[in-house]
Amino acid sequence: MTSLGVLALESFAAAAALLLGLFCYDAFFVFKSDVMLTVATQIEAPAKFLWAAVGAGADAGGRYPFSVLGLGDVVVPGAFVGLLRELDKEQGRAGGGSEEEAREASYFQVGLGAYAAGLLSTFAANYLTKSGQPALVYIVPSLLLSAVATAASRGELPSLLEFESPRAAAAKASRDAWREEKKREREEKRRT
């Protein structure tokens, strides 16, 4: 899972936009096209996880005998949960803290539970419909709604929606300093 270490989402707004875009992409290419089904069942690559489909023993009835979870169904939601961990660290919830904070679930814990609930929903829908399901259609609402509901219940919704990781803030400060330096250089050139 090296991908989780490489991919970092730097703000809640960007992460939510990415997840919503992937939600639409996943739903379209599963329900309105056979592209995802073809990729999942006919391309053998290390970009998917396979589980034996429930009830698909030796006689799978012509069905693909596996439930498939794509790498994108793990990596992007994992990066979102990582962003929630950054939020916890920023707010001092990453361990220690007051007794009241210790009883309250962290954003990371809520996000991890939401991801698990989204996966369970995906597999339940897969079993009930006996057809492939777009995992992100279940995972994305689970992640976003749980994070927003947790923040709203704590009165922290504005800080969640405006959250940028420390890396993003440092990159923004560095970019602003670089722009300021370039502006000074242009002004000096004009004077000479």
Side-chain angles (χ1 to χ4, degrees):
M1 273 294 141
T2 314
S3 305
L4 283 174
V6 175
L7 177 66
L9 300 173
E10 300 297 346
S11 75
F12 182 83
L18 175 63
L19 284 172
L20 289 170
L22 289 173
F23 170 92
C24 294
Y25 170 87
D26 214 22
F28 176 79
F29 280 106
V30 170
F31 292 131
K32 297 290 184 188
S33 161
D34 67 346
V35 170
M36 294 298 252
L37 182 63
T38 301
V39 168
T41 60
Q42 295 180 7
I43 295 177
E44 294 303 323
K48 61 185 176 182
F49 300 99
L50 302 173
W51 283 270
V54 177
D59 179 28
R63 289 182 42 220
Y64 190 66
F66 297 103
S67 290
V68 179
L69 192 63
L71 194 57
D73 301 328
V74 177
V75 173
V76 177
F80 181 79
V81 172
L83 178 72
L84 295 178
R85 179 74 173 141
E86 290 290 322
L87 176 61
D88 286 333
K89 283 198 251 181
E90 194 74 14
Q91 293 182 342
R93 277 197 182 90
S98 70
E99 194 174 306
E100 183 181 322
E101 286 176 345
R103 284 190 300 255
E104 187 174 82
S106 67
Y107 283 101
F108 173 77
Q109 292 167 327
V110 169
L112 204 54
Y115 181 71
L119 273 180
L120 286 173
S121 299
T122 302
F123 287 125
N126 195 9
Y127 175 74
L128 293 172
T129 64
K130 306 245 185 299
S131 66
Q133 296 294 310
L136 292 177
V137 166
Y138 301 94
I139 295 169
V140 168
S142 180
L143 286 172
L144 292 178
L145 291 174
S146 66
V148 168
T150 300
S153 72
R154 296 177 181 169
E156 300 172 352
L157 192 56
S159 65
L160 173 69
L161 298 176
E162 296 169 1
F163 177 71
E164 285 188 348
S165 74
R167 289 182 301 230
K172 190 175 186 180
S174 178
R175 184 189 66 220
D176 290 345
W178 177 81
R179 284 181 178 167
E180 202 54 44
E181 182 181 325
K182 292 296 177 188
K183 184 179 175 184
R184 279 194 302 270
E185 286 175 6
R186 282 192 302 268
E187 287 175 2
E188 281 183 26
K189 273 187 172 179
R190 279 189 224 142
R191 282 187 235 155
T192 58

